[in-house]
Amino acid sequence: MLYSLQAGGKRIRPMLLYAVLESYDMDKTAGDSTACALEMIHTYSLIHDDLPAMDNDDFRRGKPTNHKIFGEATAILAGDALLTHAFHLISSDDRLTPEQRLENVRLLSRAAGPDGMVGGQTADMLAEDEEVTVEEMESIHNRKTGDLLAVALQMGAFIAGAEKKEQEALHRFGIHIGLAFQIKDDLLDVEGDEQLLGKPVGSDEGNHKNTYVSLLGLEKTKERLKFHTGAALSELEELSVPSHILQELAVYIAERDQ
Amino acid sequence: MLYSLQAGGKRIRPMLLYAVLESYDMDKTAGDSTACALEMIHTYSLIHDDLPAMDNDDFRRGKPTNHKIFGEATAILAGDALLTHAFHLISSDDRLTPEQRLENVRLLSRAAGPDGMVGGQTADMLAEDEEVTVEEMESIHNRKTGDLLAVALQMGAFIAGAEKKEQEALHRFGIHIGLAFQIKDDLLDVEGDEQLLGKPVGSDEGNHKNTYVSLLGLEKTKERLKFHTGAALSELEELSVPSHILQELAVYIAERDQ
């Protein structure tokens, strides 16, 4: 569990949560258990995705994948334990009100479950050797990646006591940056630097994955990245608080090189 | 997810929960989401345990295991989804008070996580080719099987509003029947009927597993089964309500033939 949690990574989900708390001028330690839970769930999904039966990846974040070090059985169990412990962390955190704990468990278990991340992962796998439209692919990405990013913002807004209208704007912001994130991932797999990425490029093509680049080509993919980044930024105009940190994160997602 | 949920099984964890609610003369529908969550978590653990990287079992409950039908990747994801959805079911059940939902999530995520079931499964795996004492083996079983059985009773007691003293007696009852359950499992693997069990006998010996029978022999194993069943029954004397249903379940666990 620790090996994969400490293997680095961009910590984007915790950053999004803390960015919301910072924007609303909240004590950021109120987000600690939820931030850790988000990263545990993200990390478990990577450990399971990397397994030989799934993507069969040997490297992640520049280091050997969990099962390459500890074996498949331990990797499966480490993922299961991280997922389960995520809900224990939130539900036993007495810095949150019982209402905040319960709502965060409810939101997070939906976003990570069969209607969210795991469902998206399954749909993605089933679509692997199928022709899909860009719309079908976006629906998969929304579940596979977008829901967990959007729920990070949504949980932050709930902890901050933001108004319903603002919670919804932050959720839409999350969906747009989720798609931007995935588009950027597809671009990096074609144009990225293996050293910076810590993983080989070109694996999507090798695995016959449907990507923005394979469906739209490079130029239109870059246009779409701009569109979603712009749409995300315009959602932030709905907020009653300064949003420069969230703006910076949206721009970082579009311009990152790893 | 449905295939494995509907593949039968004894439903012991839901039965224990409902038995507590029945004993306290509660509306049993108050236990539905928690009962389903318990069975989902138990089922996910079986799907993952059966994987080639773990126990590599082809049959479970007389039917092909999940990965034999759907492939390993889908089996891993079905398990992940069942585990995640268990917490969503409880946290979004408005027949329970917010306090009951939160406490059940907290108790269940502890019992199923790294300090409970998954930790026990890991310890069991690490001990497979080691010499262990009966005490070490019981500590493994308490986490691997006992914690989830005990938490079924504990959550029932919490929903029923039972006194702390009674909650604790029911928890100890759960630990004793958990050990009785495991001892009976070990006995059935030696003396059971393959037709009734729906799985081959003798697999523990083939897999070089530490069992009560391998450590103590048949006779002392049967004595220990009697001891834990008796200890469980005497805990029920602490309750302020009639406990004949729980008594019957304890006896069933010790005398079942599947």
Side-chain angles (χ1 to χ4, degrees):
Chain A
M1 293 164 73
L2 267 182
Y3 173 79
S4 290
L5 280 174
Q6 294 179 334
K10 296 175 286 293
R11 314 295 193 204
I12 284 182
R13 293 150 196 83
M15 274 200 280
L16 291 170
L17 175 83
Y18 286 125
V20 173
L21 296 179
E22 174 91 20
S23 302
Y24 284 86
D25 206 18
M26 292 281 297
D27 173 10
K28 285 200 294 298
T29 60
D32 287 352
S33 61
T34 309
C36 289
L38 278 162
E39 197 64 14
M40 284 179 177
I41 287 185
H42 173 56
T43 300
Y44 116 75
S45 78
L46 300 181
I47 295 174
H48 282 190
D49 280 5
D50 287 336
L51 287 167
M54 308 273 285
D55 287 352
N56 195 20
D57 280 318
D58 292 351
F59 288 92
R60 165 76 68 181
R61 298 171 175 170
K63 298 197 172 113
T65 45
N66 196 294
H67 65 272
K68 296 301 282 184
I69 302 281
F70 300 102
E72 277 183 65
T74 301
I76 293 167
L77 292 168
D80 294 344
L82 284 167
L83 170 56
T84 315
H85 198 58
F87 295 109
H88 193 63
L89 262 190
I90 295 177
S91 60
S92 55
D93 178 9
D94 54 21
R95 282 173 302 186
L96 297 176
T97 66
E99 195 183 19
Q100 288 170 333
R101 286 183 253 173
L102 183 60
E103 181 65 3
N104 280 3
V105 167
R106 196 184 67 78
L107 291 171
L108 185 56
S109 58
R110 202 216 64 85
D115 294 325
M117 188 181 71
V118 182
Q121 175 67 19
T122 308
D124 191 29
M125 203 172 66
L126 295 173
E128 212 155 280
D129 297 314
E130 304 285 324
E131 297 244 336
V132 297
T133 63
V134 177
E135 287 69 31
E136 288 165 341
M137 192 183 63
E138 289 211 331
S139 147
I140 291 171
H141 287 321
N142 279 342
R143 283 177 285 161
K144 189 179 168 187
T145 323
D147 279 355
L148 202 59
L149 293 166
V151 87
L153 294 145
Q154 203 178 350
M155 293 191 295
F158 193 81
I159 294 174
E163 277 183 28
K164 195 82 189 164
K165 192 191 79 164
E166 300 183 62
Q167 285 182 33
E168 286 166 4
L170 280 169
H171 189 273
R172 288 192 300 272
F173 170 81
I175 294 297
H176 284 300
I177 62 166
L179 289 172
F181 187 87
Q182 186 58 52
I183 296 169
K184 186 66 187 181
D185 248 16
D186 289 355
L187 284 169
L188 285 171
D189 192 69
V190 177
E191 299 190 320
D193 179 322
E194 291 196 0
Q195 285 294 103
L196 288 171
L197 286 170
K199 62 181 177 186
V201 301
S203 68
D204 289 343
E205 203 181 349
N207 293 333
H208 307 290
K209 276 200 180 169
N210 293 301
T211 70
Y212 282 91
V213 180
S214 74
L215 291 176
L216 294 175
L218 262 181
E219 199 177 337
K220 281 201 167 152
T221 299
K222 287 176 183 177
E223 274 171 29
R224 207 167 259 253
L225 176 58
K226 265 190 196 151
F227 165 76
H228 284 296
T229 305
L233 291 173
S234 73
E235 292 293 347
L236 296 178
E237 291 164 19
E238 299 284 323
L239 304 190
S240 59
V241 292
S243 61
H244 55 93
I245 305 168
L246 290 163
Q247 287 170 36
E248 279 166 31
L249 277 168
V251 171
Y252 163 70
I253 281 171
E255 296 184 354
R256 70 201 160 94
D257 51 19
Q258 56 179 303
Chain B
M1 293 165 73
L2 267 181
Y3 173 79
S4 290
L5 281 174
Q6 294 179 334
K10 297 174 285 293
R11 314 295 192 203
I12 284 181
R13 292 151 196 83
M15 273 200 280
L16 291 170
L17 175 82
Y18 286 125
V20 173
L21 296 179
E22 173 92 20
S23 302
Y24 283 86
D25 206 19
M26 290 283 296
D27 173 9
K28 284 200 294 299
T29 61
D32 287 353
S33 61
T34 309
C36 290
L38 277 162
E39 198 63 15
M40 284 179 177
I41 287 184
H42 174 57
T43 300
Y44 116 74
S45 78
L46 299 181
I47 295 173
H48 282 190
D49 279 5
D50 288 337
L51 288 167
M54 308 270 288
D55 287 353
N56 195 21
D57 279 318
D58 292 352
F59 289 93
R60 165 75 69 180
R61 298 169 175 171
K63 299 198 171 112
T65 45
N66 195 294
H67 66 272
K68 296 301 284 185
I69 301 281
F70 299 102
E72 276 182 67
T74 302
I76 293 168
L77 292 168
D80 293 344
L82 285 167
L83 171 56
T84 315
H85 197 58
F87 295 109
H88 193 63
L89 262 190
I90 295 177
S91 60
S92 56
D93 177 9
D94 54 22
R95 285 173 301 186
L96 296 176
T97 66
E99 195 184 17
Q100 288 169 333
R101 286 184 252 172
L102 182 61
E103 182 65 1
N104 280 3
V105 166
R106 196 184 66 77
L107 290 171
L108 185 55
S109 59
R110 201 216 64 84
D115 293 325
M117 188 181 71
V118 181
Q121 175 66 21
T122 308
D124 191 28
M125 204 173 65
L126 295 174
E128 214 155 277
D129 296 312
E130 304 285 323
E131 297 245 334
V132 297
T133 64
V134 177
E135 288 67 32
E136 287 164 342
M137 192 182 64
E138 289 211 331
S139 147
I140 291 172
H141 288 322
N142 279 342
R143 283 178 285 161
K144 188 180 169 187
T145 323
D147 279 355
L148 202 60
L149 293 166
V151 86
L153 295 144
Q154 203 179 351
M155 293 192 296
F158 193 81
I159 294 174
E163 278 182 28
K164 196 81 189 165
K165 190 191 80 164
E166 301 183 61
Q167 285 182 33
E168 287 166 4
L170 280 168
H171 190 273
R172 289 191 300 271
F173 171 80
I175 294 297
H176 283 301
I177 63 167
L179 289 172
F181 188 87
Q182 187 58 52
I183 296 170
K184 186 66 186 182
D185 248 16
D186 288 355
L187 284 168
L188 286 171
D189 193 70
V190 177
E191 299 191 321
D193 180 321
E194 290 197 0
Q195 286 293 104
L196 289 171
L197 286 172
K199 63 182 177 186
V201 300
S203 69
D204 289 341
E205 203 182 346
N207 293 333
H208 306 289
K209 277 200 181 169
N210 292 303
T211 71
Y212 281 92
V213 181
S214 74
L215 291 177
L216 293 175
L218 262 179
E219 198 177 338
K220 281 202 167 151
T221 299
K222 287 175 183 176
E223 273 170 31
R224 207 167 259 252
L225 176 59
K226 264 188 198 153
F227 165 76
H228 284 296
T229 305
L233 291 172
S234 73
E235 292 293 347
L236 297 177
E237 290 164 20
E238 299 284 323
L239 304 190
S240 60
V241 293
S243 61
H244 54 93
I245 304 168
L246 290 163
Q247 287 170 37
E248 279 166 32
L249 277 169
V251 172
Y252 163 72
I253 281 171
E255 297 183 354
R256 70 200 161 94
D257 50 19
Q258 56 179 304

